[in-house]
Amino acid sequence: LMREAVRRNAAPAVADAVAATGQLHPPARRATATVLFTDLRGFTAWCESRSPGEVAAGLNAHISTLAAIVQRHGGEVNKLTGDAMLALFLDGSHAARAVAAAREILAAPTELPVSAGLHTGDVVLGAIGGGGKLEYTALGDAVNVAARLESLNRETGTRLLLSEATRAAAGLTARPVGCFLMKGRRVPVEACTVEEG
């Protein structure tokens, strides 16, 4: 009964891990993934002129749109932090699917513009938490780089930045944007962009 509840309500990676191990909190594992990080531009200012109900409804509609696109491309929404979304693409052609999802997200009709960052690398997947709060999430350099690439869009005048690792894994031709040294990393990240849509 518990496994069926997990299958209905949890992300596919969690449900698969529970099914494979028979444990409600399966052990952490390492995986190669493409991480997609998105953020809404101007969300704080947008909230100031709207009622709480309007803010909640607008954000829920936005997340529903993005989640449907991610799922259509075989990814899963892993975490929501305010108006930011972290999505994971695992197995097979994960980099190409993540880029396709990001391009579709940026082309989707949304009230506020969205920006996105993508990076391919190793992540640790596991149940993390304490004090009554537990979530199955992804940790590691790939997550941090994707988030920082998303933030760099504001400096580079782009809406979609992907690392050279993602570009190569997806087999894409992309326009180089620059090489960036990011906090916590000794090796710079080469960033590039592709056309939206």
Side-chain angles (χ1 to χ4, degrees):
L1 194 61
M2 181 63 75
R3 286 189 194 178
E4 183 55 34
V6 170
R7 174 70 58 193
R8 282 196 317 270
N9 299 300
V14 179
D16 291 346
V18 170
T21 64
Q23 300 175 30
L24 188 56
H25 305 300
R29 68 182 179 96
R30 192 174 301 279
T32 301
T34 297
V35 180
L36 166 63
F37 198 90
T38 69
D39 197 26
L40 272 174
R41 293 183 176 181
F43 180 69
T44 302
W46 181 86
C47 290
E48 290 175 356
S49 61
R50 285 161 177 80
S51 70
E54 289 173 320
V55 170
L59 188 53
N60 285 335
H62 168 74
I63 291 167
S64 295
T65 297
L66 269 57
I69 293 170
V70 165
Q71 291 165 356
R72 189 160 50 248
H73 289 277
E76 58 187 67
V77 175
N78 181 258
K79 187 181 292 186
L80 301 171
T81 306
D83 59 307
M85 181 185 77
L86 167 65
L88 295 177
F89 294 78
L90 300 157
D91 305 321
S93 57
H94 53 83
R97 291 184 286 110
V99 173
R103 293 175 77 181
E104 187 176 339
I105 283 170
L106 268 58
T110 54
E111 191 164 350
L112 293 170
V114 183
S115 57
L118 288 160
H119 182 57
T120 301
D122 284 347
V123 296
V124 172
L125 298 169
I128 307 296
K133 171 71 173 170
L134 186 72
E135 64 180 2
Y136 193 83
T137 192
L139 304 168
D141 183 61
V143 176
N144 297 334
V145 171
R148 289 179 183 137
L149 284 170
E150 185 283 317
S151 293
L152 276 170
N153 280 298
R154 290 152 185 79
E155 296 176 31
T156 59
T158 56
R159 291 181 63 213
L160 171 60
L161 283 177
L162 52 147
S163 66
E164 171 58 22
T166 298
R167 187 214 61 76
L172 295 173
T173 300
R175 176 174 62 84
V177 174
C179 201
F180 301 92
L181 187 59
M182 298 179 176
K183 184 179 175 183
R185 284 188 122 240
R186 281 177 278 185
V187 179
V189 174
E190 291 181 57
C192 51
T193 191
V194 292
E195 289 187 16
E196 302 160 19

